[in-house]
Amino acid sequence: MATITFPIPSTTTSRFAVAARSVPHDLNALLRRSPTSYQPHIAGRLGSPQLQATRDDLTSLHWDPTRIRAHRPEDRLAARFFNNATEFAVITAFAPITDQPRGVQVARSAAYAIAKATDGITADLVTGQILTPTPEREHFVLADHWIGDALPPFRANGRCTAPEPELDPEGVNGCTCVRLRTRGLSRFGLPELQMTEVACPHDLAALNVLRTTARRLLTDHWSWLATGPTANTRTIPSTLHLTQTDFDAFWGSARHTHLTPTAPFEITLAHPKPRLLTVSPPTTFNGTTNDWLWGDTLPLGIYDVIKAHPTLLHPAA
């Protein structure tokens, strides 16, 4: 059986930033009195490497606020404010991977608390995305903007003229515009995932394959970490069999019965760089990635589920 070996860091760093018109100098005091369900965790970590809160302005920044983007139309105004801001609160979590996901949840909860107190805008500096101002969940859901999963501009912002597969069979492989890559798995000690040479009509299917793969790898990774390994590398099979349950788990779905049971579908992982894994069809598949994505081997939801609430029994677009 072919395998892949990748390095495992002992600690990872995650950063969040809040842009506001006025950021208090004593952020620790603000966080100690901020009401949040994560308050005991925040108080216990504040001031340690696991939770640092600093105030920055444009003269002291070591990152570029103009690189933060809105991946949803409703976040564009918030992104514009963030890009033009001059004062920031930066929350840094430097923690063992065995402390995840709690470590990053505490840090993001602290960022949300500062944003609420200052009427500010929150961004994830790992994914480069504006974050929706919602309370941090007690349970972990990977779909909660942890891996920068977002669709690229459809049809390459109007530059792609490939035909639609429903109207012209040539459209199945009509272009290779779409390149998808996660940003955020690294904070959990995993390589990022990538899919390339995808045709525009299959972008959502490709994104959901990437999401499903990410959740399965993360679940397996935490199970492996629970065994207390001492190695600084990990070896996994290059062939992975994913199921509808893996897809549901990305959304935090609690459903246990499926109206239409589906067989597992197979993916192949490759390791072109130390911190990157590529996702592609099984080596036995006779066709392109787009043929595979357009076929009938994937769970139906992968073709139409853009977002879903974790409590939904049956995710819908």
Side-chain angles (χ1 to χ4, degrees):
M1 178 189 298
T3 60
I4 287 173
T5 299
F6 53 85
I8 301 297
S10 58
T11 57
T12 60
T13 301
S14 198
R15 288 189 176 90
F16 305 92
V18 177
R21 289 184 173 85
S22 180
V23 175
H25 286 270
D26 194 347
L27 292 172
N28 287 1
L30 185 154
L31 286 171
R32 289 191 179 98
R33 63 175 182 268
S34 296
T36 167
S37 60
Y38 279 86
Q39 181 58 41
H41 296 283
I42 291 174
R45 297 166 184 246
L46 199 57
S48 73
Q50 293 176 311
L51 188 63
Q52 297 277 349
T54 59
R55 181 186 182 278
D56 286 330
D57 58 31
L58 293 179
T59 64
S60 58
L61 288 182
H62 298 288
W63 51 277
D64 185 357
T66 65
R67 297 179 68 87
I68 299 299
R69 294 287 182 264
H71 290 277
R72 304 183 309 164
E74 57 265 40
D75 292 331
R76 287 172 183 165
L77 188 60
R80 192 175 303 119
F81 177 88
F82 194 99
N83 298 157
N84 295 325
T86 59
E87 295 187 19
F88 302 88
V90 178
I91 305 299
T92 303
F94 181 70
I97 55 170
T98 50
D99 184 44
Q100 306 302 350
R102 182 61 74 194
V104 292
Q105 286 183 291
V106 172
R108 194 166 74 171
S109 179
Y112 286 154
I114 293 173
K116 183 176 181 180
T118 61
D119 195 25
I121 301 297
T122 310
D124 186 337
L125 299 188
V126 174
T127 65
Q129 291 182 356
I130 292 293
L131 293 173
T132 304
T134 54
E136 189 66 41
R137 299 183 202 276
E138 289 292 333
H139 63 289
F140 178 81
V141 176
L142 190 57
D144 282 347
H145 308 293
W146 286 112
I147 58 171
D149 56 308
L151 288 174
F154 187 64
R155 290 292 186 185
N157 269 337
R159 294 189 299 274
C160 178
T161 59
E164 288 287 348
E166 296 93 340
L167 304 176
D168 185 343
E170 295 295 327
V172 174
N173 289 292
C175 69
T176 56
C177 297
V178 179
R179 174 183 179 273
L180 298 169
R181 185 170 181 174
T182 63
R183 287 179 295 172
L185 282 176
S186 58
R187 70 177 116 220
F188 305 117
L190 281 173
E192 301 297 342
L193 299 177
Q194 179 174 284
M195 288 187 73
T196 59
E197 299 186 348
V198 174
C200 289
H202 318 312
D203 57 355
L204 180 56
L207 181 65
N208 279 332
V209 169
L210 216 60
R211 289 165 165 171
T212 305
T213 305
R215 183 56 195 169
R216 172 61 180 279
L217 287 175
L218 191 56
T219 301
D220 291 350
H221 192 56
W222 283 336
S223 296
W224 179 77
L225 288 172
T227 66
T230 58
N232 58 6
T233 61
R234 182 177 170 217
T235 299
I236 62 172
S238 61
T239 297
L240 205 61
H241 293 88
L242 305 177
T243 66
Q244 177 76 48
T245 300
D246 296 315
F247 180 54
D248 295 341
F250 173 81
W251 301 105
S253 171
R255 72 176 180 177
H256 298 290
T257 59
H258 307 294
L259 296 178
T260 307
T262 57
F265 66 96
E266 183 179 310
I267 66 163
T268 298
L269 298 172
H271 194 206
K273 297 179 181 179
R275 302 304 303 167
L276 181 67
L277 298 177
T278 58
V279 179
S280 59
T283 55
T284 55
F285 182 77
N286 185 22
T288 67
T289 296
N290 292 314
D291 292 327
W292 178 63
L293 292 171
W294 187 247
D296 58 1
T297 61
L298 307 180
L300 292 179
I302 279 182
Y303 296 100
D304 54 27
V305 175
I306 299 173
K307 59 183 178 180
H309 192 279
T311 59
L312 283 181
L313 293 180
H314 303 292

